[in-house]
């Protein structure tokens, strides 16, 4: 069983940076792939980034590639998303998720989800 709590969201200007954190608790955190999804107002939830259990493999949506960096620190039971060069279209609620496999994780078919943290990028 895994519990996830996101933090670090806020209001930033376009071109700015922000780092999100996802604190995990549970018995098997280090064995799970982890990821970030986002959902803008009135829009469907979309995949952002994912990372394997070891941190050796990462995956990014085209919309964030080159600007966002996903990482994890298993010793601290924490997942991160460093967001640079933020754009107004990045405005959304960002949620972290966890699953035993990256394939199902990236599909959004995840066993565990956090409650989300709001990111707002102003022009």
């Amino acid at each position: 069983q895994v519990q996830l709590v996101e933090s670090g969201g806020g209001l930033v200007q376009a071109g700015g940076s922000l780092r999100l954190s996802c604190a995990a608790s549970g018995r098997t955190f280090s064995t799970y792939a982890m990821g970030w999804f986002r959902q803008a107002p009135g829009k469907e939830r979309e995949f952002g980034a994912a990372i394997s259990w070891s941190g050796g493999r990462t995956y990014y949506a085209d919309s964030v590639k080159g600007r966002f960096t996903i990482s994890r620190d298993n010793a601290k039971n924490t997942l991160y998303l460093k967001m640079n060069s933020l754009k107004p279209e990045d405005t959304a609620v960002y949620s972290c998720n966890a699953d035993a496999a990256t394939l199902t994780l990236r599909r959004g078919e995840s066993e565990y989800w956090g409650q989300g943290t709001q990111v707002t990028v102003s022009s």
Side-chain angles (χ1 to χ4, degrees):
Q1 188 74 23
V2 177
Q3 293 79 46
L4 307 172
V5 180
E6 302 94 336
S7 62
L11 174 64
V12 298
Q13 291 185 330
S17 298
L18 202 63
R19 189 177 77 161
L20 306 183
S21 298
C22 173
S25 62
R27 296 184 294 273
T28 58
F29 171 78
S30 63
T31 69
Y32 281 80
M34 302 284 290
W36 292 94
F37 278 69
R38 66 186 186 183
Q39 187 168 23
K43 302 292 182 63
E44 295 293 318
R45 184 182 64 188
E46 65 175 355
F47 168 75
I51 188 168
S52 63
W53 69 268
S54 67
R57 296 184 299 279
T58 57
Y59 309 84
Y60 295 95
D62 289 340
S63 59
V64 308
K65 195 174 301 180
R67 300 187 298 119
F68 291 9
T69 302
I70 189 170
S71 62
R72 66 190 296 167
D73 187 336
N74 288 348
K76 297 180 179 179
N77 292 337
T78 303
L79 174 75
Y80 303 98
L81 186 68
K82 178 62 177 175
M83 304 182 294
N84 295 325
S85 302
L86 283 163
K87 306 173 181 179
E89 51 262 46
D90 294 321
T91 296
V93 173
Y94 285 72
S95 300
C96 62
N97 62 337
D99 201 86
T102 56
L103 180 59
T104 50
L105 181 86
R106 282 143 48 204
R107 291 172 175 171
E109 301 169 357
S110 305
E111 187 173 3
Y112 305 106
W113 291 89
Q115 85 289 346
T117 185
Q118 176 71 50
V119 172
T120 302
V121 184
S122 62
S123 300

